[in-house]
Amino acid sequence: MRASVVDALLSTAKPWRAKFDVGKPLPFLSKHVISAEQFDRDSIQYVMRYADLIDGGLKLSHGHSLLSGKVQANVFLEPSTRTATSFAVSMMRSGGSVFHISAETSSVQKGETLEDTIRTLESYADVIVLRHPTLGAADVAASVATGNVPIINAGDGGGEHPTQALLDLYSIHSRFGGLESKRLHMTLLGDLKYGRTVHSLAQMLSHFPNIELSLVSPPNLGMPKEYLQILQNRNVKFSVQTNLEGVLSDTDILYQTRVQKERFTDANEYAQSKGKFVVTPSTMAMMKKESILMHPFPRVDEILESVDSDARAWYFKQPAMGIRARMALLGLVLGKEPPKRL
Ligand code: NCD
């Protein structure tokens, strides 16, 4: 994959980013999941309801067999602990199997292009989960896919991470009794420029008028204009800040993020940007009793370990929500709706 290929693709229409129309039967079947842009309120709620069933009426928390015989390619060309294993476990708990490809041990080492890798894996797998260091890589992969093997973007450089956003929403849904049950003030904190999780999350949150956003970051790591534009177009109530204290006492959900060291081209800029917002017990003391603190992880130093014992620390609960959300999504793209109307 060449940089020019990515640039050309990003500036043109992207038919592989189909919307999920839940008014139609099997709305996710064989569709790629590349961007949060593909989701609206109804399709997000559809995933939430499916995820609820996994732990609810269907008693599927110890696994089910809806995806028996299905094979998943986990193509992780950039480091991952949670996302790679979460996708693998989600497929295994759904009755399917998984094989793994890494940059270090695959033909990527010999110079093979992403396009050739994808065209090959289409013959082996029923679904391809891709993580790649380059923004736009998931679009490149989806644009060359020829069959009906869905490609799921598990993070493309500083671009997007739509399934992390789904699991974050599912965590909120579980904690607050639904996404629309009450007014919620969510504060996205840290590296909003390079953080792909917040790029996808902000877009998905924009479909819920009861959710107000505060975007807090160092001035050089603000949310990119294109995402602010989406919030504006959808009349989201949001503010852009460089100071956390002012919004803390009204915040229901504080979403902390890591400063994305690997995306900086200037090591000095990284050194100056990190450590600006560290969540400590005193930060927690300023937050509401019923609020929660989320983080997609990994954390480096932006939440002190002394915060972990606070009942509002939600980051070790998010991974379990990820299994439910991803089991739901895999079931949907592979056309296995649960035996109950959603
Ligand atoms: C994030 C990622 O890879 O974008 N982690 C994750 O998938 N849970 C966040 C990060 O790396 O900071």
Side-chain angles (χ1 to χ4, degrees):
M1 186 178 54
R2 285 167 201 87
S4 57
V5 175
V6 179
D7 290 342
L9 278 174
L10 288 178
S11 60
T12 55
K14 303 175 198 80
W16 51 87
R17 289 188 179 197
K19 301 273 192 285
F20 308 115
D21 180 356
V22 300
K24 303 216 169 102
L26 300 175
F28 290 82
L29 175 63
S30 299
K31 300 229 170 87
H32 303 302
V33 182
I34 305 301
S35 165
E37 166 197 295
Q38 295 169 259
F39 290 82
D40 60 10
R41 191 187 67 101
D42 291 346
S43 50
I44 292 168
Q45 292 288 24
Y46 200 78
V47 178
M48 302 294 116
R49 288 197 291 277
Y50 195 138
D52 274 343
L53 289 178
I54 286 171
D55 211 26
L58 293 179
K59 300 269 181 268
L60 296 179
S61 55
H62 298 294
H64 63 70
S65 56
L66 287 178
L67 302 185
S68 163
K70 299 291 183 190
V71 175
Q72 174 176 303
N74 249 20
V75 186
F76 277 72
L77 307 181
E78 193 183 58
S80 168
T81 296
R82 267 150 295 274
T83 309
T85 43
S86 168
F87 263 111
V89 168
S90 299
M91 183 48 127
M92 293 189 286
R93 279 193 188 273
S94 306
S97 48
V98 185
F99 66 90
H100 301 267
I101 304 235
S102 74
E104 291 72 29
T105 58
S106 67
S107 290
V108 169
Q109 286 293 331
K110 302 177 186 171
E112 181 167 66
T113 62
L114 176 65
E115 290 90 325
D116 288 356
T117 304
I118 296 294
R119 293 290 301 273
T120 304
L121 294 178
E122 279 189 294
S123 303
Y124 301 159
D126 298 295
V127 55
I128 298 173
V129 179
L130 174 69
R131 168 165 291 191
H132 198 286
T134 309
L135 193 160
D139 281 295
V140 172
S143 73
V144 298
T146 58
N148 49 16
V149 175
I151 291 170
I152 301 181
N153 181 6
D156 61 322
E160 285 210 48
H161 196 347
T163 67
Q164 178 70 40
L166 286 174
L167 88 83
D168 293 336
L169 290 182
Y170 191 61
S171 305
I172 297 168
H173 164 96
S174 307
R175 167 63 181 80
F176 293 98
L179 291 172
E180 295 170 277
S181 62
K182 60 190 282 244
R183 172 195 177 264
L184 289 172
H185 178 182
M186 185 156 180
T187 298
L188 306 183
L189 176 65
D191 184 350
L192 308 185
K193 179 180 181 186
Y194 297 118
R196 54 196 174 197
T197 68
V198 284
H199 298 165
S200 293
L201 187 55
Q203 290 182 77
M204 289 205 193
L205 289 167
S206 69
H207 295 293
F208 298 92
N210 58 309
I211 302 182
E212 176 185 338
L213 289 177
S214 292
L215 309 175
V216 184
S217 70
N220 60 322
L221 297 181
M223 181 69 82
K225 282 200 180 60
E226 65 261 39
Y227 301 115
L228 294 179
Q229 192 62 57
I230 291 172
L231 298 181
Q232 231 144 32
N233 294 349
R234 294 193 186 138
N235 294 319
V236 175
K237 200 166 170 224
F238 76 96
S239 70
V240 174
Q241 324 249 0
T242 52
N243 180 302
L244 180 62
E245 274 73 37
V247 298
L248 265 185
S249 64
D250 186 58
T251 293
D252 299 292
I253 306 157
L254 179 60
Y255 189 96
Q256 171 68 306
T257 61
R258 176 179 67 91
V259 177
Q260 308 277 297
K261 182 179 184 186
E262 64 274 36
R263 311 281 174 233
F264 284 76
T265 45
D266 177 351
N268 284 332
E269 191 193 354
Y270 169 70
Q272 280 155 23
S273 307
K274 77 191 242 310
K276 284 265 165 13
F277 294 103
V278 177
V279 177
T280 68
S282 345
T283 318
M284 300 305 285
M286 285 187 259
M287 288 178 64
K288 295 182 197 176
K289 225 169 65 229
E290 328 72 51
S291 61
I292 58 171
L293 170 64
M294 298 175 68
H295 190 307
F297 264 40
R299 97 176 121 184
V300 183
D301 53 9
E302 62 279 357
I303 299 179
L304 293 190
E305 285 174 16
S306 49
V307 171
D308 295 359
S309 55
D310 191 305
R312 295 166 295 174
W314 222 250
Y315 34 89
F316 290 120
K317 296 192 165 76
Q318 285 167 253
M321 299 300 137
I323 300 294
R324 290 158 181 74
R326 290 190 171 114
M327 281 174 81
L329 189 69
L330 289 171
L332 287 168
V333 295
L334 293 169
K336 300 289 181 189
E337 306 260 341
K340 182 180 169 193
R341 239 187 103 67
L342 287 172

